[in-house]
């Protein structure tokens, strides 16, 4: 064998193994995500991506959320839709792409300072804690139903990795800062999470570092602050120039009486993420929970050590567990900022709030990998956990061989609407766009909400004004959901008149009206049509 081949065989083998691991992870994600049902969040993101691909790159006439994702997931939706033109496949592939990107960046962050063998051990720990999902209740909300923040978290981790590289390689500082600025502008303009859970902790971490450890600290901070300011300016310019309008989101501090329930929700979310939600429910579930529960210690110990030794400066003379690393401090502060802001705000209302802990869990997973990859026993334990998770996932998949891409109620609804030859209508958010997606675009259902005058108005959240300008049609329909009862029959009758007929599907009543679909505005009073 030639000397060249002998010298490069280990590196080639490692790259081949890493590629095989990424492909295997993507396949596992595809199978698992295929068991999860699509909802209106993903359907609306796809509709926005389709409009961008059609040429509306600034999403003119759209109402978007404060986290608009226009430069992150929406671009991926547009690209994947252009390749597949398949609703279900596009939504699945976007989630897979986001998680594989996050996995790759997390791997490099976790193993940036270690040998090839150490990188493999780090990958095993990452796989056990976060990369390989533990199938169970609530996991869908953390993995599949949160694709619209995964690339944001990826950008946060990528920014930390780039800054760390810039600190160590002075000759590459201009190039690194240019790349960092591009990522920061794009991510900050697309998702405010990047600012509050990314920029703020990273800047704080830089200030915690001694000046002699980060001689170019001021330049890096200037780039981050300037990029954030430019991103906010671009958002305003886009709106002034006819781009999308961001819808305000009421996120406020919870009163003190809400803190205990929020902490309880956080504890339940933690059990779901760990795969320990079955603790105490049955024998097998309790055994699985007990085996996986030490993962919590792996995740929490590095945070404790960093807070104690680095942030508060309480160091032991014989302690070598903590290195003064920018990556470590940044990840710790990202986790603390995410957990703290989520627990004291009004966004953590039920188990679906599990997705808001994504930045924190990614950060602690990387930290655990960085701290414990030299510990052989922990690596072996993590390997066992990872293998058990794969077996659990495969068993779960075997029990769900032919899952439905949409909730059964939505499938029944779209089938009934098509049987009645209906095409245009209004519904609440969770029945609207997902019905359009389930019908493969045959139905045009727009989301509505009550307004302050008691009328029915457009829901200005991932929607387009064109959807509410009316449509020439012989009939239109309005879907009233009995759970929750946000819009009742009387409101519908007052707004649109008496229906010519109605029918019921699952917990929804569909009222059919004669004539063209009427236009709606936010200030439309009740009975104005």
């Amino acid at each position: 064998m030639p000397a060249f081949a002998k010298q490069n065989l280990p590196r080639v083998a490692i790259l081949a193994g890493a590629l095989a691991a990424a492909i295997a992870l993507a396949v596992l994600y595809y199978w698992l995500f295929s068991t999860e049902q699509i909802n209106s969040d993903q359907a609306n993101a796809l509709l926005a991506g389709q409009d961008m691909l059609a040429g509306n790159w600034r999403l003119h006439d759209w109402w978007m959320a404060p986290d608009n994702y226009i430069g992150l997931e929406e671009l991926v939706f547009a690209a994947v839709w252009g390749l597949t033109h398949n609703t279900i496949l596009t939504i699945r592939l976007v989630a897979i792409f986001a998680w594989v990107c996050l996995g790759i960046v997390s791997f490099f962050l976790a193993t940036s300072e270690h040998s090839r063998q150490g990188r493999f051990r780090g990958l095993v720990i990452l796989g056990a804690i976060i990369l390989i999902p533990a199938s169970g209740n609530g996991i869908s909300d953390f993995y599949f139903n949160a694709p619209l923040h995964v690339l944001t978290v990826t950008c946060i981790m990528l920014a930390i990795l780039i800054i760390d590289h810039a600190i160590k390689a002075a000759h590459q500082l201009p190039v690194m800062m240019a790349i960092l600025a591009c990522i920061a502008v794009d991510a900050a303009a697309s998702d405010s999470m990047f600012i509050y859970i990314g920029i703020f902790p990273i800047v704080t971490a830089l200030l915690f570092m001694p000046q002699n450890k980060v001689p170019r600290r001021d330049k890096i901070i200037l780039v981050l602050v300037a990029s954030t300011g430019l991103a906010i300016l671009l958002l305003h310019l886009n709106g002034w120039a006819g781009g999308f309008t961001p819808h305000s989101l009421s996120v406020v501090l919870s009163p003190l009486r809400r803190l205990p329930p929020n902490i309880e929700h956080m504890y339940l979310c933690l059990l779901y993420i760990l795969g320990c939600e079955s603790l105490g429910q049955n024998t097998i579930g309790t055994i699985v929970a007990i085996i996986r529960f030490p993962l919590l210690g792996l995740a929490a110990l590095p945070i404790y050590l960093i807070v104690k030794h680095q942030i508060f400066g309480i160091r032991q003379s014989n302690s070598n567990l903590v290195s003064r690393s920018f990556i470590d401090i940044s990840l710790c502060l990202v986790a603390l900022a995410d957990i703290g802001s989520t627990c004291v705000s009004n966004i953590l209302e039920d188990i679906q709030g599990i997705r808001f802990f994504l930045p924190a869990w990614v950060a602690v997973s990387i930290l655990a990998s960085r701290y414990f990859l030299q510990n052989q026993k922990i690596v072996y334990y993590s390997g066992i956990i990872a293998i058990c998770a794969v077996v659990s996932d495969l068993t779960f998949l075997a029990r769900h061989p032919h899952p439905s891409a949409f909730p059964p109620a939505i499938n029944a609804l779209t089938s009934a609407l098509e049987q009645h030859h209906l095409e245009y209508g209004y519904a609440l958010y969770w029945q609207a766009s997902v019905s359009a997606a389930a019908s493969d675009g045959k139905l045009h259902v727009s989301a509505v909400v009550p307004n302050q005058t008691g009328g029915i108005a457009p829901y200005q959240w991932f929607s387009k004004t064109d959807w509410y300008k009316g449509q020439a049609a012989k009939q239109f329909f309005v879907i009233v959901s009995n759970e929750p009862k946000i819009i009742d029959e009387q409101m519908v009758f007052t707004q649109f008149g008496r229906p010519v007929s109605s029918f019921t599907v699952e917990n929804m009543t569909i009222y059919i009206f004669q004539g063209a679909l009427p236009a709606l505005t936010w200030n439309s009073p009740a009975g104005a049509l």
Side-chain angles (χ1 to χ4, degrees), residues 16-218:
L19 180 61
I23 294 174
L25 192 63
V27 172
L28 179 63
Y29 283 155
Y30 181 81
W31 286 344
L32 288 175
F33 293 169
S34 294
T35 67
E36 304 298 341
Q37 294 170 341
I38 296 170
N39 60 34
S40 285
D41 281 345
Q42 291 118 12
N44 280 328
L46 174 60
L47 290 172
Q50 290 172 341
D51 205 23
M52 291 176 68
L53 187 64
N56 189 10
W57 291 103
R58 295 190 299 115
L59 294 178
H60 175 69
D61 280 342
W62 276 78
W63 292 301
M64 300 295 285
D67 37 2
N68 55 79
Y69 316 109
I70 189 171
L72 296 174
E73 280 87 355
E74 290 299 354
L75 285 180
V76 183
F77 270 106
V80 176
W81 173 257
L83 294 174
T84 67
H85 288 281
N86 182 292
T87 297
I88 298 173
L89 185 59
T90 297
I91 292 175
R92 304 296 193 209
L93 289 180
V94 169
I96 293 167
F97 173 83
W99 270 100
V100 170
C101 287
L102 179 58
I104 292 172
V105 175
S106 298
F107 168 74
F108 282 110
L109 259 181
T111 63
S112 61
E113 300 167 359
H114 295 277
S115 64
R116 297 171 190 173
Q117 186 178 3
R119 289 176 180 176
F120 174 76
R121 293 195 294 263
L123 181 61
V124 171
I125 297 175
L126 276 177
I129 299 179
I130 191 170
L131 294 184
I132 302 176
S135 57
N137 297 327
I139 289 300
S140 62
D141 290 308
F142 186 70
Y143 283 89
F144 178 64
N145 290 341
L148 299 181
H149 285 300
V150 177
L151 286 183
T152 304
V153 179
T154 303
C155 287
I156 293 173
M157 301 305 155
L158 188 57
I160 295 173
L161 186 63
I162 290 173
I163 293 173
D164 183 70
H165 185 77
I167 292 173
K168 298 173 181 177
H171 63 284
Q172 295 182 355
L173 182 65
V175 175
M176 292 294 102
M177 290 300 96
I179 297 173
L180 177 64
C182 292
I183 293 173
V185 170
D186 181 60
S190 301
D191 190 352
S192 57
M193 175 187 282
F194 182 83
I195 300 175
Y196 302 115
I197 310 299
I199 296 293
F200 285 175
I202 290 174
V203 170
T204 305
L206 287 168
L207 294 176
F208 266 116
M209 297 290 292
Q211 181 67 41
N212 62 336
K213 296 285 186 179
V214 192
R216 294 164 294 277
R217 180 173 61 188
D218 294 343

Side-chain angles (χ1 to χ4, degrees), residues 164-461:
D164 183 70
H165 185 77
I167 292 173
K168 298 173 181 177
H171 63 284
Q172 295 182 355
L173 182 65
V175 175
M176 292 294 102
M177 290 300 96
I179 297 173
L180 177 64
C182 292
I183 293 173
V185 170
D186 181 60
S190 301
D191 190 352
S192 57
M193 175 187 282
F194 182 83
I195 300 175
Y196 302 115
I197 310 299
I199 296 293
F200 285 175
I202 290 174
V203 170
T204 305
L206 287 168
L207 294 176
F208 266 116
M209 297 290 292
Q211 181 67 41
N212 62 336
K213 296 285 186 179
V214 192
R216 294 164 294 277
R217 180 173 61 188
D218 294 343
K219 293 181 179 179
I220 298 173
I221 293 176
L222 178 61
V223 169
L224 291 172
V225 173
S227 299
T228 303
L230 179 59
I232 296 173
L233 177 61
L234 289 175
L235 278 177
H236 287 293
L237 290 175
N238 182 59
W240 292 333
F244 67 84
T245 302
H247 185 86
S248 60
L249 181 63
S250 178
V251 177
V252 297
L253 291 177
S254 292
L256 289 178
R257 58 182 174 81
R258 284 291 307 166
L259 189 57
N262 282 354
I263 294 176
E264 181 181 357
H265 282 312
M266 182 186 71
Y267 170 72
L268 293 175
C269 290
L270 186 60
L271 290 181
Y272 281 115
I273 296 172
L274 286 171
C276 299
E277 79 283 356
S278 57
L279 181 66
Q281 296 181 6
N282 54 66
T283 303
I284 296 178
T286 300
I287 293 174
V288 172
I290 291 173
I291 293 173
R292 293 186 60 88
F293 208 78
L295 292 175
L296 178 60
L298 298 185
L301 183 58
I303 297 291
Y304 167 76
L305 292 173
I306 292 172
V307 171
K308 177 182 178 181
H309 296 307
Q310 293 189 349
I311 295 180
F312 289 111
I314 305 174
R315 299 181 58 85
Q316 299 173 356
S317 58
N318 62 346
S319 174
N320 59 359
L321 291 175
V322 181
S323 61
R324 298 190 65 84
S325 165
F326 164 75
I327 293 179
D328 294 341
I329 298 177
S330 296
L331 292 174
C332 176
L333 292 177
V334 165
L336 294 177
D338 182 36
I339 294 172
S341 61
T342 302
C343 287
V344 301
S345 68
N346 64 339
I347 61 176
L348 190 61
E349 297 180 353
D350 51 36
I351 194 59
Q352 292 184 351
I354 191 173
R355 65 188 185 275
F356 296 117
F357 292 108
L358 177 63
W361 195 246
V362 172
V364 299
S365 301
I366 297 171
L367 277 173
S369 181
R370 289 173 59 83
Y371 272 65
F372 298 115
L373 56 78
Q374 301 290 356
N375 190 310
Q376 194 172 28
K377 292 181 180 180
I378 290 179
V379 173
Y380 284 153
Y381 165 74
S382 300
I384 293 172
I385 291 296
I387 293 172
C388 290
V390 172
V391 172
S392 173
D393 291 339
L394 295 178
T395 304
F396 175 79
L397 291 168
R399 295 198 306 265
H400 300 79
H402 302 292
S404 172
F406 298 92
I410 296 299
N411 287 329
L413 174 64
T414 56
S415 178
L417 291 172
E418 291 176 5
Q419 289 175 6
H420 284 79
H421 305 289
L422 297 169
E423 186 177 356
Y424 296 98
Y426 294 121
L428 292 178
Y429 179 82
W430 294 113
Q431 291 82 42
S433 295
V434 67
S435 299
S439 68
D440 205 18
K442 297 175 184 177
L443 297 174
H444 302 272
V445 192
S446 304
V448 292
V449 291
N451 63 13
Q452 296 177 348
T453 64
I456 296 176
Y459 188 29
Q460 299 175 344
W461 184 274

